[in-house]
Amino acid sequence: MLKQDYKKRLVYIFLALGVLFGISVQGCGLVADGDKGIISGEVWRDMNGDTINAHGGGLIFHEGKYYWFGENRPASGFVTEKGINCYSSVDLCDWKYEGIALGVSGEEGHDIEKGCIMERPKVIYNEKTGKFVMWFHLELKGKGYEPARAAVAISDSPAGPYRFIRSGRVNPGIYPLNMGTEEQEIEWDFSEYKEWWTPEWYSAIEKGLFLKRDMEGGQMSRDMTLFVDDDGKGYHIYSSEDNLTLQIAELSDDYLGHTGRYIRIFPGGHNEAPAIFKKDGTYWMITSGCTGWEPNKARLLTATSILGEWKQLPNPCVGEKADKTFGGQSTYILPLQGKEDRFVFMADSWRPESLSDSRYIWLPIQFNEKGIPFIEWVDRWKPY
């Protein structure tokens, strides 16, 4: 018993020293050879010793630094009280808090009024304009998850501050590229499909029941990510049609709007939390099912053209707890700078009783002999 108490005291002393000297002693700790590495599922602290609060996030690399953007989640409740946080690091281990990149508005009725819901922020850099562009999923204050909007903001520097531009549904009045004329011309009687999950309902969803319902106001956009292809084209990937169908929409050249070119993939498949990367000309996407805050089995999607035909492969996670994505949900896939063909799978381990205490799972993506990505749990590992 005395030995256990002694060990506990040592832990507290090391934690206190970490806070005092700005050392991130949890999340990024010491690996076997004494170097710093990533420890998933623990409390991660910034260089001030404060818990990192950057959920549903994404990263961008610019001029030697990684910038991590994520939801500032409250200790209780789930609405947004502050905005989008930003942290920076040169090694993915020691994180400096850069502040609120995009703060909520104090103006009553503003799209991002305090009390709205800002989720899944992602930032991309536009080489042509020299601007940093942030997109995120937005729900208006007091409206629950009904608005299902995509919102965009812009900045001259990676850490911000970002200036909010607008929010709204996606591509109003426009049919997707992969929907034929016959399906476009169907006139739906929505009163016939009040009962969900029947074979008739699934068939109607696949043919565009909810897409047609939302045509005038635009397509719903909830869980989302961004991707910039090798040719500089930007893409917005999001859960739509009441989270039943993924859509991939091309962004305008300035990344501030949509061109009207988009596709639907896996209608009725119930995918959310998309995270995408590209390797050797092949696109790979990891998603999750829709089970609220509870983890579920990840899905692996692949295509040879981003606006082409996608197919689904088995769960990319292997090993113990693979059927629950190791307790997490995908949020982003990060290409490691200076490490060719190395990618990091990023996920959130949600704690709905206190969302600010949700943890981070970052794991290296590996590839089998056929070049198919897979993810297994690693207790401690070094990104560099």
Side-chain angles (χ1 to χ4, degrees):
M1 191 69 177
L2 289 173
K3 288 182 178 179
Q4 289 181 347
D5 289 341
Y6 179 69
K7 288 179 180 179
K8 287 181 180 178
R9 290 193 187 100
L10 283 178
V11 170
Y12 294 145
I13 289 170
F14 281 119
L15 285 172
L17 288 172
V19 172
L20 180 63
F21 293 104
I23 301 170
S24 182
V25 294
Q26 287 184 320
C28 287
L30 299 179
V31 294
D33 59 4
D35 290 338
K36 286 180 295 186
I38 291 174
I39 308 173
S40 293
E42 300 293 333
V43 174
W44 291 17
R45 302 183 188 278
D46 64 21
M47 296 175 72
N48 294 322
D50 298 321
T51 301
I52 293 176
N53 197 337
H55 309 285
L59 275 76
I60 185 172
F61 184 82
H62 185 73
E63 295 183 351
K65 281 187 181 180
Y66 291 97
Y67 293 86
W68 179 6
F69 302 88
E71 307 157 9
N72 182 309
R73 285 290 191 171
S76 61
F78 61 90
V79 300
T80 304
E81 298 175 357
K82 294 184 179 180
I84 304 300
N85 273 340
C86 178
Y87 297 82
S88 66
S89 175
V90 296
D91 60 4
L92 297 178
C93 286
D94 294 317
W95 290 96
K96 175 186 175 183
Y97 181 52
E98 296 284 354
I100 299 288
L102 176 65
V104 295
S105 173
E107 179 185 340
E108 185 176 351
H110 195 285
D111 283 8
I112 57 170
E113 177 185 2
K114 182 179 179 179
C116 68
I117 301 173
M118 303 164 72
E119 295 184 336
R120 305 260 165 182
K122 303 294 184 290
V123 171
I124 49 179
Y125 178 65
N126 192 301
E127 294 280 357
K128 294 179 181 178
T129 65
K131 304 292 185 181
F132 297 86
V133 179
M134 175 189 293
W135 284 86
F136 57 97
H137 164 213
L138 175 67
E139 302 291 353
L140 303 178
K141 181 180 179 180
K143 300 291 186 180
Y145 277 82
E146 180 183 347
R149 291 188 176 193
V152 61
I154 193 170
S155 175
D156 292 325
S157 64
Y162 284 76
R163 176 175 58 86
F164 178 79
I165 297 178
R166 67 180 176 277
S167 76
R169 294 277 183 96
V170 181
N171 288 323
I174 302 173
Y175 285 103
L177 299 174
N178 59 348
M179 176 176 271
T181 303
E182 184 177 338
E183 291 179 340
Q184 294 179 24
E185 293 177 348
I186 296 176
E187 295 294 334
W188 295 103
D189 182 354
F190 295 102
S191 65
E192 296 180 5
Y193 298 95
K194 291 182 179 179
E195 184 181 356
W196 288 34
W197 317 121
T198 66
E200 294 79 15
W201 177 87
Y202 268 115
S203 177
I205 290 297
E206 186 172 353
K207 293 176 181 176
L209 176 70
F210 284 0
L211 179 134
K212 195 73 173 276
R213 177 199 65 187
D214 297 333
M215 277 294 290
E216 183 177 353
Q219 299 303 306
M220 303 173 82
S221 175
R222 290 187 178 138
D223 280 10
M224 57 140 285
T225 193
L226 300 176
F227 178 74
V228 177
D229 213 337
D230 302 331
D231 59 2
K233 283 285 186 183
Y235 297 90
H236 178 204
I237 302 157
Y238 50 95
S239 290
S240 193
E241 302 174 37
D242 281 316
N243 287 14
L244 290 163
T245 303
L246 284 174
Q247 295 184 3
I248 303 177
E250 185 182 76
L251 294 174
S252 55
D253 285 346
D254 59 10
Y255 301 162
L256 299 178
H258 299 87
T259 65
R261 301 182 73 241
Y262 75 105
I263 62 169
R264 306 166 74 222
I265 60 173
F266 304 104
H270 231 194
N271 286 283
E272 63 179 14
I276 187 173
F277 71 104
K278 184 180 182 181
K279 181 179 182 293
D280 298 332
T282 299
Y283 301 86
W284 302 96
M285 193 189 311
I286 297 175
T287 70
S288 83
C290 300
T291 53
W293 300 111
E294 296 297 321
N296 56 60
K297 185 186 295 185
R299 292 95 178 265
L300 178 64
L301 318 179
T302 187
T304 55
S305 172
I306 194 166
L307 293 179
E309 184 177 353
W310 287 76
K311 63 180 180 179
Q312 184 170 332
L313 301 179
N315 180 8
C317 299
V318 298
E320 188 178 357
K321 297 184 179 179
D323 62 335
K324 298 292 185 182
T325 316
F326 313 113
Q329 184 188 40
S330 50
T331 182
Y332 194 71
I333 294 173
L334 173 69
L336 280 179
Q337 294 296 315
K339 300 287 185 178
E340 187 176 358
D341 293 338
R342 288 192 63 190
F343 304 87
V344 181
F345 171 72
M346 297 170 49
D348 292 283
S349 181
W350 294 110
R351 298 191 173 199
E353 66 279 2
S354 181
L355 288 172
S356 64
D357 189 39
S358 298
R359 308 294 173 84
Y360 310 104
I361 296 173
W362 290 11
L363 297 169
I365 293 179
Q366 303 178 65
F367 299 88
N368 65 19
E369 64 280 359
K370 295 181 179 180
I372 298 174
F374 70 94
I375 306 162
E376 61 182 349
W377 182 265
V378 183
D379 285 331
R380 298 167 181 244
W381 65 282
K382 294 187 298 182
Y384 287 98

